[in-house]
Amino acid sequence: MKLRDIINRAIQILGLENEVSVTEESPRLTKLIDCTNMILGELTQEYIHLKTAETLVFNEGRAYYRDFSKPVREVIAVRDKGIKQNFVMYPLYLFCDGLEGQVEVTYLYHLGELGLDDDVGLPPQYSVYTLAVGTASEYCYRTGLVDEALFYKSRYDTSLLNLSRRMRLATLPNRRLL
């Protein structure tokens, strides 16, 4: 799904089809993009932990965050030839004492600011509709429509709660004939 899809659906939910278009720049479109980015940022901070692994080059035990392909949130593991290494996260770089060369790093990341044509890399259970309702809620807050914002926020929170729950398998006892 693309950010454009979420914003189109939010425009439909808000009833702004005649006033806003994703093909023309406007202050409302910019506000909707900001609202969607805020909702996605909040979602990836509180509900979804986006994880990736990549091979990075360490020089003098350091790998700078600017060399990572995505904005780093938290480093989970550093493996050199399959062996876990101890590491320390500093503000500008990741430090592993004595490491040189290519090393695999597993980390959590932020989505960052997305544009209209950027892909939103979220798990498939988070639908366009759910994210559009969150965008509609934030847009209503920012425009001063507090009652509508609370309505959409309630729908969004309920949807997130239902999507974020893990289904547990239920084990029923065997039936016995008497």
Side-chain angles (χ1 to χ4, degrees), residues 50-56 68-70 74-79 103-109:
L50 301 173
K51 182 168 49 170
T52 190
E54 65 182 86
T55 303
L56 296 167
F68 286 67
S69 63
K70 300 181 187 295
E74 178 184 352
V75 175
I76 298 172
V78 176
R79 288 188 173 82
V103 178
E104 182 179 309
V105 179
T106 305
Y107 62 97
L108 300 177
Y109 65 92

Side-chain angles (χ1 to χ4, degrees), residues 73-109:
R73 178 175 160 197
E74 178 184 352
V75 175
I76 298 172
V78 176
R79 288 188 173 82
D80 184 24
K81 299 175 184 131
I83 300 170
K84 270 190 152 182
Q85 303 292 321
N86 292 328
F87 62 90
V88 179
M89 291 181 67
Y90 288 102
L92 297 176
Y93 59 88
L94 177 65
F95 181 75
C96 291
D97 194 27
L99 275 185
E100 290 292 326
Q102 293 189 343
V103 178
E104 182 179 309
V105 179
T106 305
Y107 62 97
L108 300 177
Y109 65 92

